[in-house]
Amino acid sequence: MYAVRDEITATLQEIRDAGLWKAERQLTSPQNAHITTTQAEAINFCANNYLGLADHPDVVAAASDALQEWGFGMASVRFICGTQTLHAELEARIAEFVGCEAAILYSSCFDANGGVFEVLFGEGDAIVSDELNHASLIDGIRLTKAGRYRYKNADLADLRAQLEATKAAGARRTVIVTDGVFSMDGSYAPLDQICDLADEFGAMVLVDDSHAIGFVGAGGRGTPELFGVLDRVDLVTGTLGKALGGASGGYVAGPQEVVDLLRQRSRPYLFSNAVAPMVAAGSLKALEIATASDEGRATLQRNTALFRQLMTEAGFDLLPGTHPITAVMFPGEDGARRAGQIADAMLEEGVYVIAFSFPVVPRGKARIRVQLSAAHSEEDVRACAAAFVSARERVG
Ligand SMILES: *Cc1c(COP(=O)(O)O)cnc(C)c1O
């Protein structure tokens, strides 16, 4: 063991030396637009709390009531004695919201993505995956014996080339797999054109809509809604851990037979505990709020547009778009250092944003990622842009 500990210590040092160490800030408050940590008070621009539901009083109340009514935990997987009517109701509501026949709940979207591919795709099948897809999609795909094809991010010409390769290989089932929104860029997968290609090649389409569900599209039904392809996407996965309350849970939605088969065969579903009742109830309330009114989405859009406008006027280099993930770019050799220093300087002024550099994003494309929320006030948004300006002056 001593030798192993020394080796691990060396690995830890390598991570630190490479500047890749991830330190955790401990919050001493709930998740919200304004947070306190053990070190500072800050306006928070790095949570996935897009609709501000993580600490919404109605969501908290629904979860709290459920805790009293349904107990703390299930102490069982779903198929033994871990399914309450709450779970079935949540699955039905998710399916309805994303426009699918059925949905199946997992402990997380990481598990949903880890459990969906192996059941549906095997030897002789082909999985065609965007190069920027989330780690959980990559891992889930790795668990299959299907042929793996990778295409350049949102690149339709390369997607076509890969689909042609699957055809040449005589693939049985083919599926195109993409994030709806790419989380480092805030860009969308061009789902309308991806569905066109899928039709042309007889392929299915699976979209992981974790960074969209609840707030992208006029009704918040996600990237397929935004691109007008709700009825053309075959399978959708997503998380309850971002806009929809932000607690935990993920899902796969699709045709009834697919969901039925996943319940029989999907390993993270079969061999992992049921989602806690209070989380199911809080998520149901979050879904209800997101469905009942466009108010949260309107506020989020307003905040996003204002922030992008203020930053553009101040001469910052933004990746274009409309998603609340706003990438403020610091290109070039010196970019990683500048982005890090500016983020640090902003935290001193009470604005919490995160800098990303290689290997999380390509070399020379360092950025600060700002995530807007409906929980932010106009004043919060203006404070963020102002902090960027003054940090830039200080850092030079
Ligand atoms: C956040 C995220 C996940 C993981 O969701 P969890 O429910 O937190 O496991 C999966 N896919 C994408 C695209 C994500 O952004």
Side-chain angles (χ1 to χ4, degrees), residues 108-110 113 134 136 179 208 210-211 239 242 249:
S108 66
C109 186
F110 206 107
N113 289 337
H134 191 263
S136 54
D179 283 12
D208 176 348
S210 290
H211 276 288
T239 185
K242 290 187 171 110

Side-chain angles (χ1 to χ4, degrees), residues 4 17 54 64 67 165 187 264 268 271 274 310 368 378 396:
V4 175
D17 292 347
S64 167
L67 179 60
S187 59
Q264 301 305 312
F271 300 112
L310 293 172
I368 292 176
E378 182 183 330

